[in-house]
Amino acid sequence: MTAVAAPHLSISETAILTRRITWLSVSVAGVLTVIKAVAWAASGSVAMLASLADSGLDLIAALATFYAIRYAVAPPDREHRYGHGKAEAFASLLQAGLVFASAALVGQAAIVHLIHPQAIGAHVEGLAVMGVSILLTGGLVLAQTRVLSKASSVAVTGDRLHYMADLASNLVAVVAIGASAAMHSPLPDAVGGLIVAAWLLWGAVGVFRASSVELMDHELPDEARARIVKLMLEDPRIADVHQLRTRASGPYMHIQMHADLDPALTLVEAHQAVVAAENRVLAAFPAADIIIHPDPRGEAEPHGGPFGEEIHGENHVESGTG
């Protein structure tokens, strides 16, 4: 899994979208937790307990994302010169942990009910609650998908994956409760709980991977790197780009590179070329922090320490050898 390039939005535009969608996420999780708790108390269904546990943890995760999103867009300060963007990735890790816990709870309850079957009551009420849950969750996932098509956020992405797992668990719960009612047996309900637990584990792994990609400073996708190089080389005074390093940090992007310039350029002319190139990249990636080191073409000695060494295969998206 690779890091996702941020769409062409400013930090303020991204903040508006992500704040709205996280508020909606908290609201949906709160409503679902309450109505499922009432339904589970009335029915004792394991599948309903599975969905209730997932929604309860959704609420905790949604609250964590709600605050992480607001912290991540805070401007750099004296202690955090690179901003606070990784708060989103930490919120996603919390989501993954909560999903794992939810899967363990649901799986344990399902196994107990398989060994010691218990009658399930209030089928109609349970199905009605799950129907409401499916509608609300489906609407939220759709809204999150639309936001992510405009703004990049690993926290919202993790929240969306969590709710997609919740949607799947709701569908399984409906089938399980309906089957238990039709067969007059609690076994389908317990099996449904096991299916939900397995689905939650799968979703947790996906959330964890997405978070680790950002925390480990994974490079942006090749398409984004190639576009950066193309924008840099629009000016004929820049002959090549090498040692390009990129990473995502919440709503921010960090881009560093060396640019080969004609050694005959004056310092002022070289500065103007670099600033113009920086502005071209910023126009395409408004949330980027950009550092460009100018090198005299053909006359620059090796420099930069271990981070100045060429990495095998790194120039496959670049135009020259650096």
Side-chain angles (χ1 to χ4, degrees):
M1 182 179 293
T2 58
V4 178
H8 308 165
L9 293 179
S10 66
I11 292 298
S12 60
E13 291 171 328
T14 298
I16 291 173
L17 288 175
T18 53
R19 284 173 179 171
R20 288 175 179 173
I21 199 61
T22 53
W23 173 249
L24 180 61
S25 176
V26 170
S27 300
V28 169
V31 170
L32 292 180
T33 299
V34 171
I35 63 175
K36 288 180 183 179
V38 173
W40 173 70
S43 67
S45 164
V46 176
M48 181 62 72
L49 174 62
S51 191
L52 168 60
D54 192 35
S55 291
L57 293 176
D58 276 345
L59 178 58
I60 298 175
L63 286 170
T65 303
F66 180 84
Y67 290 107
I69 286 290
R70 283 149 182 76
Y71 185 71
V73 298
D77 55 34
R78 184 182 297 274
E79 289 77 26
H80 306 90
R81 297 291 187 178
Y82 290 95
H84 307 81
K86 287 191 176 181
E88 289 196 15
F90 283 111
S92 291
L93 285 180
L94 173 62
Q95 291 172 346
L98 291 174
V99 176
F100 274 119
S102 178
L105 173 64
V106 172
Q108 180 186 28
I111 291 174
V112 169
H113 278 241
L114 279 174
I115 299 175
H116 305 290
Q118 299 178 17
I120 305 299
H123 298 296
V124 175
E125 293 84 350
L127 291 174
V129 169
M130 299 314 298
V132 173
S133 180
I134 289 172
L135 289 176
L136 289 177
T137 304
L140 176 59
V141 169
L142 180 60
Q144 289 173 325
T145 301
R146 289 177 176 174
V147 167
L148 290 173
S149 69
K150 301 176 182 178
S152 177
S153 169
V154 67
V156 174
T157 299
D159 204 32
R160 177 176 173 271
L161 288 172
H162 199 170
Y163 276 106
M164 288 179 68
D166 190 38
L167 182 61
S169 72
N170 292 336
L171 292 171
V172 171
V174 168
V175 173
I177 293 173
S180 290
M183 299 171 60
H184 302 288
S185 170
L187 291 180
D189 177 68
V191 172
L194 285 176
I195 294 174
V196 171
W199 183 266
L200 289 174
L201 284 174
W202 178 261
V205 171
V207 174
F208 179 81
R209 291 180 62 193
S211 303
S212 63
V213 161
E214 185 161 312
L215 289 173
M216 291 300 294
D217 293 333
H218 197 289
E219 282 288 334
L220 296 179
D222 288 345
E223 299 78 22
R225 287 170 51 84
R227 187 174 185 195
I228 292 169
V229 172
K230 182 179 179 181
L231 290 168
M232 290 291 298
L233 299 182
E234 287 182 359
D235 189 336
R237 293 176 295 180
I238 299 178
D240 193 19
V241 171
H242 59 283
Q243 294 182 23
L244 173 63
R245 299 203 298 270
T246 63
R247 64 185 176 93
S249 180
Y252 297 97
M253 294 171 58
H254 297 281
I255 303 171
Q256 296 178 231
M257 73 192 84
H258 288 224
D260 287 344
L261 280 72
D262 185 344
L265 293 175
T266 66
L267 179 59
V268 172
E269 291 171 334
H271 173 75
Q272 292 172 341
V274 168
V275 170
E278 179 180 329
N279 288 334
R280 289 194 299 274
V281 176
L282 277 174
F285 303 96
D289 171 41
I290 305 171
I291 298 177
I292 303 173
H293 177 88
D295 283 334
R297 178 68 169 174
E299 299 183 12
E301 71 284 0
H303 60 96
F307 289 93
E309 299 175 0
E310 295 292 342
I311 300 174
H312 178 69
E314 78 160 344
N315 287 323
H316 67 288
V317 299
E318 302 176 14
S319 64
T321 59

